[in-house]
Amino acid sequence: MRTVLFPRRVSRRWRPLAAAAALTVTASTLAACGSSGPGASGDTLEVWVYQDGSSTIQEDFVERFNEESDIDIELVSVPGENYQDRMRTAMGGSNAPDIFFNWGGGSISDFVAEDQLVDLTPIIEDNPDLAESFVPSIMESGAVDGRYYGIPMRGVQPVILFYNQTLFNDLNVEPPETLDDLYDLVDTFTAEGITPIALAGAEEWPALMWLEYLLDRQGGSEVFQRIVDGDSSAWGDPAMLEAAQHVVDLREAGAFGDNFRSVTYTNDAISTVFAQGDAAMHLMGSWEYPNQLTNQPEFAENDLAYTTFPVIEGGAGDPTAVVGNPTNYWSINAQVEGERLDAAIEFLRLMASEDYARALIENGDIPATTNVDELIDEHPNPEYAQFQQEMITNASSFQLSWDQALPSRQATPMLNAISELFGGSLTPEEFVNEMQNL
């Protein structure tokens, strides 16, 4: 990994906006990108971002940056499907990005181990204004072994149970407070021909969210923390088996409908199903709101409601505990040097600006900055913003998504096993045994 000191100021020149517009490309052109490669002496930085309803903000700030910088940024919007696999492949080759979107923690630990990332710790330590701009616990989630490799670049992302208020009103039902309530709602909506829960089962990570919360509510956050700490026997904890059994029970009750294994989250597929009223609930990260606001604004403004995950009566979990992603981060390829490195760090500094935090707020996100309370009234739905902020503030724990908390060599087979559990090809007992043998 590369450790950098405080960079010299990047030279600036004014140019018309039209000449500075960022280039956004899709996955079909990725092979042509990065022709200069990381660490090249050219005047362009290639930046990869996960493409969704929030990537328009990064596009806007790239344009702003390019207006004044001698080093341009070329923004590559990568479709979300298999983003991490593409990232790992790229980082192992000659066309790796100079700056890239990630989830911190386990998602970058392999890169850190291979000395592929710039160590930003000296920048953060020498510039208290930068460090103090972000919530400390969220900054820590971008660290590996006590060193910082990422700067927060999106909003905080707890997983929230969204529901269609209109459908609930039509059937005169309330959002679930307990898991038993949830099972009752499954029966109610199934009888009406409505899929109770939207689930993008063609991808593994949406299903993961259900198992994360079910385990947390059943056994508490300590069970998975043991796994993160290296205790593989924790996969055999009775709470894990019970959580896996709840997955089977929900599937067999028709909670996810008959075709969930063929629907993706990518390209807004499952969110459109939800917005069209074909499903009553959707367990998803808080980014679902800004995505819906961008892609289905009428639904977001008139029908979209939200609540916390239900408790399991008799379970050991704290009902305030949250799972999800503290935020996303920008990391810099260790091969970026000289003025290009200076420019990369200047770009990362924009993430701490009030303008950037305000743009996230206006897009429906809750930024990871410490000035949220001052900006929250500018959110398109202040009530939702306040709900999310209190959810995070009051959380007894904030459990990082398992596929981000674990290194890829464990996360990939785990996701495969979860997909098989939801698909019915693994029993709860077989799932637990397979995970213990990772």
Side-chain angles (χ1 to χ4, degrees), residues 40-314:
S41 58
D43 59 359
T44 300
L45 289 166
E46 185 175 297
V47 177
W48 281 21
V49 67
Y50 185 106
Q51 184 182 46
D52 60 13
S54 293
S55 55
T56 54
I57 297 173
Q58 285 79 57
E59 292 168 12
D60 178 50
F61 275 79
V62 163
E63 290 182 358
R64 297 190 194 191
F65 181 85
N66 287 351
E67 286 179 8
E68 300 184 4
S69 175
D70 287 336
I71 306 291
D72 280 355
I73 285 179
E74 180 182 281
L75 188 67
V76 180
S77 292
V78 182
E81 187 176 6
N82 299 323
Y83 175 88
Q84 290 196 82
D85 290 338
R86 292 173 180 170
M87 175 57 59
R88 294 186 187 108
T89 299
M91 288 296 287
S94 60
N95 291 325
D98 298 301
I99 303 172
F100 65 95
F101 168 111
N102 60 77
W103 291 263
S107 74
I108 59 172
S109 61
D110 290 343
F111 302 147
V112 172
E114 296 296 324
D115 293 341
Q116 291 180 296
L117 302 183
V118 169
D119 183 353
L120 300 170
T121 308
I123 293 290
I124 292 167
E125 290 177 346
D126 294 345
N127 295 272
D129 58 329
L130 178 62
E132 292 168 7
S133 295
F134 298 103
V135 176
S137 61
I138 293 177
M139 283 293 295
E140 292 298 328
S141 293
V144 177
D145 295 332
R147 308 292 292 183
Y148 296 102
Y149 296 93
I151 292 294
M153 49 76 68
R154 282 201 174 171
V156 292
Q157 300 164 358
V159 172
I160 295 170
L161 183 60
F162 293 93
Y163 63 97
N164 186 320
Q165 184 68 70
T166 301
L167 291 181
F168 273 65
N169 290 346
D170 289 346
L171 296 182
N172 195 30
V173 292
E174 298 292 330
E177 295 184 2
T178 68
L179 190 60
D180 287 342
D181 293 341
L182 182 65
Y183 280 109
D184 290 342
L185 287 170
V186 168
D187 292 341
T188 298
F189 285 110
T190 299
E192 295 294 325
I194 299 169
T195 300
I197 297 165
L199 179 62
E203 300 170 62
E204 296 92 350
W205 61 267
L208 170 64
M209 296 178 179
W210 280 95
L211 191 60
E212 288 171 342
Y213 260 131
L214 288 167
L215 175 64
D216 190 274
R217 294 295 188 261
Q218 186 70 54
S221 61
E222 297 82 2
V223 179
F224 186 70
Q225 187 58 50
R226 287 165 51 201
I227 295 171
V228 174
D229 293 340
D231 180 6
S232 62
S233 69
W235 287 107
D237 191 282
M240 183 70 75
L241 182 61
E242 292 182 64
Q245 185 62 54
H246 283 307
V247 166
V248 173
D249 293 343
L250 285 166
R251 186 194 71 236
E252 292 181 347
F256 311 119
D258 297 327
N259 302 313
F260 72 95
R261 296 268 286 172
S262 64
V263 185
T264 66
Y265 188 83
T266 306
N267 299 324
D268 206 43
I270 195 65
S271 296
T272 300
V273 170
F274 181 43
Q276 290 176 341
D278 296 325
M281 293 171 279
H282 190 197
L283 187 69
M284 187 47 60
S286 58
W287 59 82
E288 178 71 0
Y289 178 84
N291 282 356
Q292 293 284 9
L293 193 64
T294 297
N295 299 318
Q296 283 90 210
E298 185 175 344
F299 171 72
E301 294 168 5
N302 300 324
D303 305 298
L304 187 60
Y306 40 85
T307 188
T308 56
F309 196 85
V311 302
I312 295 180
E313 293 181 315

